[in-house]
Amino acid sequence: MDEDQFILRLPPELSSKMRFLLSSKSARGNSSAPKDETGTPRFNLVFLNDRHATLQVDGVLYPATLMDLPSVVESHKTFDNSTHFKSADIHQVLVVRNPNDTPPDNERLVDGLTPASKGAGVRNSIGKSDEDAEKLAAVEAQIKYVVDHKVSFVQKKETVVSHTPEKMEKKKRKEEKVDEVMEEEKEQVGEENDGDDVMDSFADMLAAELMAGEGEGGGEEMMEVDGGEKEEVEEKGKESVQREVVMKEVSALEREADGIREQIRKMSNPVIKKRLEKKLEDHMNVLTAKRKQMQENQK
């Protein structure tokens, strides 16, 4: 589309005369306006500025105002009254008035061209912006510069923090799950430390019981055992208890590892799943160390 079109709206007494003049112009097959006996064109349209014009018809001057439609309409052309081709988008009307009529207050029409668009200017009106006029003008100048110079740029992604109650609740639940996982890890570390303390206490207790049992069974033999043999018996008792405690710890750690694997298999949340995988990795490191310790005790 390379045509610029507008609608010409005339007073009733002038519309019939202009329709006749335009039809006679079309019948002649040329683009010049019809002329009177003196050779002067019978009508002429002159724009004074972007919004105001003057229409001269048979020597009479009629003021006109170029006004905006509330919505854009299309114009079409046809050669056989069957197939139509779009020729332009029309969004302005040149309203011609009688010389004594009052000019319009604004440059925008309230009603459209069809009954359905009556009052469209009021329905589609945009309220006054609260933004600063200077700021808007600066933004418009920047946009115009980008469009005119075809500037290409990459916009950085910004993280938008939403404070809706639903998202805040979802974030809170997510943090609670993370805290639960961290608490389980702390409890696991505490249980491992407690296991080491219990192992030492069990070893001391078993050594004491062995010593007491040997004292009751044969006091005379105990009298004959020197200090080196007594320490050897205590050391063997401790090693036996340590082996038993390490075996129990390895068995418990294996069960916990199986439980963590089951949680990872059922977990759909990627964040919690990743934390569980990290927990399983640390758990397996502890289990490997315990197994190595158990193998050394068995030698």
Side-chain angles (χ1 to χ4, degrees), residues 16-255:
S16 57
K17 182 183 293 187
M18 281 296 299
R19 186 175 290 109
F20 172 76
L21 294 176
L22 291 174
S23 62
S24 61
K25 170 185 172 182
S26 175
R28 289 194 310 274
N30 54 43
S31 58
S32 60
K35 300 179 180 179
D36 56 9
E37 297 175 353
T38 61
T40 304
R42 297 191 59 182
F43 69 89
N44 187 26
L45 179 63
V46 178
F47 274 89
L48 305 178
N49 50 41
D50 293 340
R51 288 289 179 177
H52 299 88
T54 300
L55 177 64
Q56 181 180 0
V57 180
D58 292 338
V60 181
L61 297 177
Y62 296 90
T65 303
L66 189 64
M67 304 186 68
D68 297 333
L69 285 167
S71 59
V72 179
V73 296
E74 297 179 356
S75 63
H76 297 81
K77 290 183 177 180
T78 181
F79 300 100
D80 54 4
N81 292 326
S82 177
T83 304
H84 293 77
F85 301 92
K86 179 179 177 180
S87 59
D89 288 323
I90 302 176
H91 59 91
Q92 290 180 318
V93 177
L94 184 63
V95 180
V96 180
R97 60 184 183 275
N98 291 316
N100 298 328
D101 292 345
T102 305
D105 297 333
N106 52 39
E107 299 173 349
R108 181 180 175 85
L109 292 172
V110 177
D111 300 327
L113 301 179
T114 62
S117 61
K118 183 177 179 61
V122 178
R123 294 195 302 269
N124 301 334
S125 62
I126 301 175
K128 186 178 179 180
S129 176
D130 297 332
E131 298 291 341
D132 186 9
E134 296 181 357
K135 183 178 179 180
L136 291 176
V139 173
E140 289 177 358
Q142 294 175 1
I143 294 174
K144 187 176 184 301
Y145 177 84
V146 171
V147 174
D148 293 343
H149 295 78
K150 297 182 180 179
V151 178
S152 61
F153 59 93
V154 178
Q155 184 178 6
K156 294 183 179 180
K157 294 183 179 179
E158 297 181 357
T159 304
V160 180
V161 180
S162 177
H163 299 284
T164 58
E166 295 79 5
K167 292 196 174 182
M168 292 294 291
E169 184 66 23
K170 184 178 180 181
K171 182 180 179 182
K172 184 177 179 182
R173 291 197 301 268
K174 182 178 178 180
E175 292 176 353
E176 290 176 354
K177 289 182 179 180
V178 173
D179 293 339
E180 290 177 1
V181 173
M182 296 298 293
E183 190 65 28
E184 289 178 0
E185 293 178 356
K186 291 181 181 178
E187 291 177 358
Q188 177 187 350
V189 175
E191 289 176 358
E192 293 172 359
N193 295 333
D194 294 342
D196 295 338
D197 297 338
V198 170
M199 180 183 66
D200 296 336
S201 62
F202 280 173
D204 296 337
M205 187 183 299
L206 183 58
E209 290 179 356
L210 291 173
M211 293 296 295
E214 291 178 359
E216 293 175 357
E220 296 179 356
E221 294 179 1
M222 287 295 296
M223 293 294 291
E224 296 177 357
V225 177
D226 59 4
E229 293 178 352
K230 190 183 295 184
E231 292 178 359
E232 184 179 354
V233 171
E234 291 178 357
E235 188 66 26
K236 290 181 179 180
K238 281 187 178 182
E239 291 177 358
S240 177
V241 174
Q242 288 177 355
R243 283 196 300 269
E244 185 178 355
V245 171
V246 171
M247 290 176 64
K248 290 182 179 180
E249 288 181 353
V250 170
S251 179
L253 289 172
E254 289 176 349
R255 290 194 300 270

Side-chain angles (χ1 to χ4, degrees), residues 269-279:
N269 190 320
V271 177
I272 304 300
K273 188 173 182 179
K274 187 175 182 180
R275 290 186 175 273
L276 289 174
E277 291 174 351
K278 181 64 171 59
K279 179 181 177 181

